[in-house]
Amino acid sequence: MRMNKKPLSERDICSKFITPAIQQAGWDLHTQIREELTFTAGRVIVRGRMHTRGEKRRADYVLYHKKNLPLAVIEAKDNKHSVGSGMQQALAYSEALDVLFVFSSNGDGFLFHDKTGLSGAVERELSLTEFPSPTQLWAWYCQHHGFKDSAVQLVDTPYYDDGSGRSPRYYQMTAINRTVEAVARGQDRIILVMATGTGKTYTAFQIIWRLWKSKQKKRILFLADRNILVDQTKNNDFKPFGQAMTKITKRTINKSYEIYLSLYQAVTGTEEEQNIYREFSPDFFDLIVIDECHRGSAREDSAWREILEYFKTATHIGLTATPKETKDVSNTHYFGEPIFTYSLKQGIDDGFLAPYKVVRIDFDIDLQGWRPKKGQKDKYGLEIEDRIYNQKDMDRTIVFDERTQLVAQKVTEYLQKTGEFQKTIIFCDDIDHAERMRQALVNLNPARVQESAKYIMRITGDDNEGKAELDNFINPESRYPVIATTSKLMTTGVDAQTCKLVVLDQRIQSMTEFKQIIGRGTRINEDYDKLWFTIMDFKKATELFADPNFDGDPVVIYQPKPGEEPVPPENMPGEVEESGAPYGEGEQPEDMPGEVTGPTGPGEKRKKFVVAGQPVTIIGQRVQFLGPDGKLITESLTDYTKQCVQKQFATLSDFFKHWSNAQRKQEIIQQLAEQGVFWDELRADVEQKLGVELDAFDLISHIVYDQPPLSRRERANNVKKRNYFTKYQGAARQVLENLLDKYADTGIVHIEDIKILQLPPFNSMGTMVELVNAFGGKHGYDNAITELEQALYSSQESA
């Protein structure tokens, strides 16, 4: 007799039918089958200064050849669904997880989708006893990719496992597997594009480990252009290489190692300084990995390219968050199209990268320009060249002391309002600018500096004391330094996991550099409550958000008006500028010293003018919102709300009927929020104009349907006037009277939650159980709340 599966839950279907069928086909439950695999973290959703996590993506089954080598995805449904009803969902998971074999099941059998076509059909139904074996799927996998013998051995080589249970994230797994597969196919030029903060170095380590352990690549060179990058790599992700690894230093070569890490400057030089990489034979290395390859290897005449050309027989793998494509520089020309791309936007959507707010502050002299009076001299007596100076000149050719002071003041105000020990990086135009900013901040934060002189530090390439503190700035456990002023040194490779404020007082001239700088804040560290960060922009750099090459929208852009705090209001929605990006390529990879700004010695030329006593003010600009669909809301907030609500409820009668019938008003409020109604901002805007506190119902009635609004207090008083409570006695009446007062104070949502009975003043009346029993039990209490809500809105029925 056939079992009736309809009453069974999805979990029952899995445990009683799907899992046994997979095991019967030869799959090992402990090493090859992962059930309910969650592979994203859930987007961080910022609400004012609070945050929550969005929904995580979860696959019912992922089947592996070996650990971290996924072959198949299975989506399970209960038996009320058809066998193939989960296929589209399974296919979406297969795209994310990069698998070739996809299954859907309801416990009766399987629908099999074969992306290789080697099974004889793209899709076909299988019985529970016909599920393919691991040997069969692996054979089809290798055949599809064209792997034979040594190539199969390479792809079959396991990942490094330290025994801690750490596993690569799903996108890292895809990047590693695709790269190893490409090498197995004989591809010798490969580029991976992964957003800053997504673990490029760990990904590179696993790639190198598998190629090295398989003996396909025996001697490997890892190249970077910052010493800190090389040291971080050697001491952290690459540490398992142990005695097989060395860092090339002091321009000396030892050919007895297998893994070499090097700053490219350490092996190149002028003709006088020997290019020591030539001490290796051209075929010495089998593999070269180029970190941040957008910097050097993209340019044909760079020193990096000389090294790569010398070792041209090796496989070259480039890593970057920001590939370069200009008329002079091309990563694609050298490496080909990226074998894998994981963008900033995807990282934020998946919840692995921190979203960000933007505080945009514009100054009058930046936007309107400034012209000196005839014969006007700067503070050091140098006559100022007569022309109009604007934003591109600020801190480059002319310095305004008051402008520097105002930037430092706004940064200080922000930190004082939100937390004075939030790690902060301030990007300045050059070293001189970074030093002046440090001084201004020191004078504005005397108490913090008295506690520690390292509260604020300049960390630039020319300052050994500052550079010595870089590790402490990066270390989440080190309290100091808190604020780092810098120029170029910290644009890449600084893994500042707890950086919560990135300040842009630098004229950023390239999308590449902009993305790198934004990346300083995108790391998440939940242990230190770092799940989002703020960008404070003083030089219109965030106009680059509007560039089509930028792939991660901010959650909010806030432009304070004169006299307003630099902290965005609670739960403020997003904004994106409509204007195009004003800057082209032209990044400067190293710290620039800047021209002299103080008194000069004999024969010394000063090119920066320094102006003191010039008032600088903030210019307020309009705010735009970023809607839930990612598109700009360009109309007013009230007009946008009308549009959103009237799509669902054409008339007030429609809205009232829906509102009245809802068991919980919170459901309607949440539903409208998901469709773009910004409740907090709307309430603040309307209540400021009206001077009264409105219920969610009255906000919509007033804004969308032009009804005269009733305040929450007025609605509560109307209920009291009608002697609504006479039918209740004792504790029940007391509870309802207090619930009505709570409604007047905080709104409808709070009185719908039964947990309110655990809070004052209810907890002094009795336990939750006792208070609910005063209504004859839970059913009676729920009915009383429903009647109370009907009484609150009964005056609307004639509308």
Side-chain angles (χ1 to χ4, degrees):
M1 182 177 175
R2 190 174 184 274
M3 177 182 179
N4 181 13
K5 302 174 184 175
K6 302 298 181 191
L8 298 180
S9 68
E10 183 182 300
R11 273 290 94 200
D12 287 336
I13 291 292
C14 289
S15 61
K16 294 178 185 297
F17 299 100
I18 300 177
T19 301
I22 301 169
Q23 288 183 275
Q24 186 181 350
W27 296 86
D28 186 279
L29 182 63
H30 303 292
T31 61
Q32 292 182 302
I33 302 172
R34 290 283 301 276
E35 289 193 61
E36 296 189 292
L37 176 70
T38 299
F39 59 91
T40 69
R43 183 186 176 111
V44 176
I45 301 166
V46 182
R47 294 285 182 262
R49 297 181 199 175
M50 308 299 289
H51 59 263
T52 186
R53 285 277 193 178
E55 188 176 353
K56 300 177 181 180
R57 299 186 76 187
R58 179 182 60 82
D60 288 327
Y61 292 85
V62 179
L63 306 184
Y64 295 82
H65 167 62
K66 285 184 176 179
K67 187 179 180 182
N68 302 315
L69 287 172
L71 290 179
V73 170
I74 306 171
E75 179 60 26
K77 297 293 180 185
D78 62 38
N79 202 249
K80 298 183 185 72
H81 293 80
S82 68
V83 70
S85 63
M87 180 52 73
Q88 291 194 150
Q89 191 174 352
L91 285 168
Y93 292 155
S94 75
E95 289 297 318
L97 298 171
D98 207 34
V99 300
L100 295 172
F101 308 110
V102 190
F103 299 85
S104 171
S105 179
N106 66 349
D108 289 339
F110 296 93
L111 180 65
F112 175 29
H113 184 105
D114 177 11
K115 295 184 181 181
T116 70
L118 293 169
S119 62
V122 177
E123 277 193 0
R124 61 191 174 102
E125 287 197 21
L126 306 174
S127 70
L128 288 174
T129 60
E130 292 178 311
F131 195 86
S133 69
T135 305
Q136 179 64 78
L137 289 191
W138 178 243
W140 283 337
Y141 176 91
C142 292
Q143 186 180 345
H144 174 75
H145 287 295
F147 299 146
K148 294 180 182 178
D149 303 329
S150 63
V152 173
Q153 179 193 341
L154 168 54
V155 176
D156 206 31
T157 303
Y159 283 58
Y160 171 77
D161 188 345
D162 63 3
S164 68
R166 179 186 182 185
S167 182
R169 292 171 175 169
Y170 83 93
Y171 63 86
Q172 294 172 335
M173 206 179 297
T174 299
I176 295 161
N177 292 339
R178 283 195 187 179
T179 304
V180 171
E181 289 166 4
V183 173
R185 288 192 299 269
Q187 189 171 331
D188 57 7
R189 299 292 181 267
I190 299 165
I191 185 169
L192 290 172
V193 178
M194 295 172 65
T196 300
T198 57
K200 288 193 298 295
T201 310
Y202 173 71
T203 300
F205 161 71
Q206 288 287 7
I207 291 167
I208 295 170
W209 179 270
R210 292 179 64 197
L211 296 175
W212 181 56
K213 280 293 181 180
S214 69
K215 302 190 184 304
Q216 298 295 310
K217 305 295 178 186
K218 297 177 181 177
R219 286 186 292 221
I220 296 148
L221 173 63
F222 180 89
L223 274 176
D225 74 334
R226 296 285 175 90
N227 206 43
I228 186 173
L229 292 176
V230 177
D231 290 339
Q232 283 179 358
T233 300
K234 183 174 184 289
N235 298 330
N236 298 322
D237 288 320
F238 280 34
K239 194 172 183 180
F241 287 125
Q243 297 302 311
M245 172 178 59
T246 187
K247 176 187 174 184
I248 298 175
T249 57
K250 299 180 181 177
R251 309 188 70 78
T252 57
I253 296 297
N254 183 333
K255 299 179 184 178
S256 62
Y257 293 91
E258 296 175 71
I259 314 290
Y260 293 80
L261 281 68
S262 179
L263 193 68
Y264 89 88
Q265 296 95 325
V267 292
T268 61
T270 62
E271 291 181 9
E272 294 78 26
E273 305 170 301
Q274 185 183 3
N275 279 327
I276 65 165
Y277 67 85
R278 293 182 180 274
E279 292 184 27
F280 295 108
S281 63
D283 60 355
F284 184 84
F285 292 109
D286 306 304
L287 172 67
I288 300 178
V289 177
I290 309 98
D291 196 24
E292 304 293 356
C293 67
H294 65 276
R295 285 200 169 277
S297 56
R299 189 178 294 277
E300 292 190 13
D301 59 354
S302 70
W304 291 60
R305 285 291 278 272
E306 291 180 20
I307 300 173
L308 299 185
E309 286 299 322
Y310 183 77
F311 297 114
K312 60 186 176 183
T313 60
T315 298
H316 298 171
I317 300 174
L319 306 171
T320 182
T322 50
K324 269 194 172 181
E325 295 301 324
T326 70
K327 63 180 182 180
D328 301 314
V329 180
S330 173
N331 281 120
T332 303
H333 179 71
Y334 186 80
F335 290 103
E337 292 295 328
I339 199 166
F340 177 73
T341 297
Y342 189 72
S343 69
L344 173 64
K345 183 178 187 300
Q346 188 65 53
I348 293 173
D349 286 344
D350 285 344
F352 295 124
L353 294 181
Y356 46 90
K357 295 182 177 184
V358 173
V359 177
R360 173 76 178 274
I361 299 176
D362 294 328
F363 298 139
D364 56 348
I365 59 170
D366 288 35
L367 303 190
Q368 296 171 0
W370 179 86
R371 184 177 182 179
K373 298 173 184 175
K374 185 177 181 180
Q376 183 174 345
K377 295 182 178 180
D378 75 355
K379 66 186 287 185
Y380 297 112
L382 189 67
E383 185 171 325
I384 304 169
E385 180 185 346
D386 183 17
R387 65 179 181 85
I388 295 174
Y389 296 86
N390 54 32
Q391 191 168 65
K392 71 177 184 294
D393 297 299
M394 299 302 157
D395 302 299
R396 289 175 172 243
T397 58
I398 194 164
V399 172
F400 291 91
D401 284 346
E402 281 71 21
R403 188 189 180 286
T404 305
Q405 185 70 18
L406 190 52
V407 170
Q409 180 184 322
K410 289 299 168 186
V411 172
T412 300
E413 286 176 11
Y414 181 88
L415 292 175
Q416 288 174 346
K417 291 284 184 182
T418 60
E420 291 179 279
F421 288 91
Q422 298 175 78
K423 298 278 185 170
T424 300
I425 305 176
I426 304 178
F427 288 96
C428 302
D429 270 304
D430 53 35
I431 290 173
D432 167 66
H433 185 194
E435 173 56 25
R436 287 185 289 103
M437 189 62 66
R438 184 198 66 79
Q439 293 172 24
L441 286 161
V442 165
N443 289 326
L444 286 167
N445 295 271
R448 299 284 80 84
V449 173
Q450 193 170 11
E451 290 168 6
S452 173
K454 293 180 179 178
Y455 178 75
I456 302 160
M457 294 206 71
R458 171 167 64 90
I459 301 179
T460 50
D462 72 324
D463 188 275
N464 291 331
E465 287 75 17
K467 283 195 292 185
E469 291 298 324
L470 188 52
D471 285 344
N472 287 328
F473 181 84
I474 292 169
N475 185 355
E477 296 182 7
S478 295
R479 191 169 203 183
Y480 302 106
V482 174
I483 303 174
T485 68
T486 190
S487 168
K488 302 289 181 182
L489 181 67
M490 298 174 73
T491 56
T492 62
V494 178
D495 190 9
Q497 298 175 23
T498 55
C499 177
K500 291 188 176 182
L501 179 62
V502 174
V503 180
L504 307 178
D505 197 25
Q506 180 184 111
R507 185 169 180 261
I508 299 172
Q509 299 181 68
S510 83
M511 178 60 71
T512 298
E513 189 172 16
F514 180 62
K515 283 186 177 182
Q516 291 286 349
I517 287 174
I518 298 306
R520 298 315 100 208
T522 53
R523 273 117 173 137
I524 283 177
N525 189 318
E526 301 204 36
D527 293 339
Y528 289 85
D529 196 36
K530 161 64 192 304
L531 286 105
W532 58 276
F533 69 108
T534 300
I535 300 167
M536 187 175 282
D537 177 21
F538 293 94
K539 287 193 175 170
K540 296 179 71 174
T542 50
E543 285 191 351
L544 287 167
F545 287 141
D547 191 293
N549 291 320
F550 195 79
D551 59 14
D553 294 321
V555 295
V556 56
I557 292 184
Y558 166 57
Q559 294 176 289
K561 297 180 176 66
E564 290 183 337
E565 294 178 355
V567 183
E570 292 293 307
N571 294 311
M572 182 181 169
E575 169 210 13
V576 174
E577 291 285 340
E578 291 181 287
S579 59
Y583 307 130
E585 292 292 329
E587 65 178 310
Q588 299 162 327
E590 305 300 333
D591 279 320
M592 302 297 289
E595 304 296 343
V596 180
T597 56
T600 58
E604 186 179 1
K605 186 178 180 181
R606 185 175 71 247
K607 294 183 181 178
K608 275 189 185 179
F609 303 107
V610 184
V611 179
Q614 171 64 40
V616 179
T617 59
I618 294 172
I619 298 178
Q621 294 184 10
R622 71 186 177 119
V623 175
Q624 292 178 289
F625 302 115
L626 190 66
D629 59 356
K631 295 180 180 178
L632 277 177
I633 301 167
T634 54
E635 61 263 54
S636 72
L637 191 55
T638 53
D639 287 344
Y640 178 70
T641 303
K642 278 186 181 181
Q643 185 185 29
C644 275
V645 175
Q646 286 178 338
K647 280 181 181 177
Q648 285 186 273
F649 312 112
T651 66
L652 175 60
S653 178
D654 294 336
F655 178 62
F656 178 69
K657 182 179 179 181
H658 195 68
W659 184 267
S660 300
N661 291 340
Q663 285 189 330
R664 287 171 58 86
K665 313 308 181 200
Q666 168 65 15
E667 293 172 3
I668 299 179
I669 292 169
Q670 182 62 34
Q671 177 187 351
L672 290 173
E674 289 172 358
Q675 292 169 16
V677 174
F678 297 107
W679 287 105
D680 294 335
E681 294 73 24
L682 199 61
R683 182 173 284 111
D685 185 41
V686 174
E687 290 180 357
Q688 185 179 13
K689 294 173 184 174
L690 299 178
V692 293
E693 294 179 333
L694 299 183
D695 182 274
F697 177 85
D698 283 287
L699 270 174
I700 297 301
S701 298
H702 176 62
I703 290 169
V704 180
Y705 305 108
D706 299 317
Q707 294 296 302
L710 282 176
S711 70
R712 293 197 302 263
R713 184 68 59 187
E714 287 174 317
R715 285 197 178 276
N717 288 337
N718 286 342
V719 174
K720 290 178 182 178
K721 290 175 188 175
R722 291 196 295 272
N723 295 318
Y724 165 73
F725 301 116
T726 54
K727 59 190 283 189
Y728 294 96
Q729 300 298 322
R733 179 166 180 163
Q734 195 177 359
V735 167
L736 288 171
E737 286 175 344
N738 279 283
L739 282 173
L740 195 59
D741 288 337
K742 283 289 184 184
Y743 163 80
D745 290 337
T746 62
I748 194 72
V749 171
H750 294 88
I751 72 168
E752 290 187 327
D753 188 347
I754 196 170
K755 291 180 182 177
I756 197 172
L757 299 180
Q758 296 174 325
L759 304 175
F762 304 99
N763 58 356
S764 63
M765 301 177 197
T767 66
M768 180 189 290
V769 174
E770 290 171 339
L771 297 180
V772 168
N773 286 340
F775 293 87
K778 179 68 162 54
H779 182 69
Y781 177 78
D782 289 342
N783 284 340
I785 297 299
T786 301
E787 289 176 3
L788 176 59
E789 291 182 340
Q790 288 172 349
L792 279 167
Y793 301 108
S794 62
S795 62
Q796 203 67 39
E797 289 184 57
S798 59

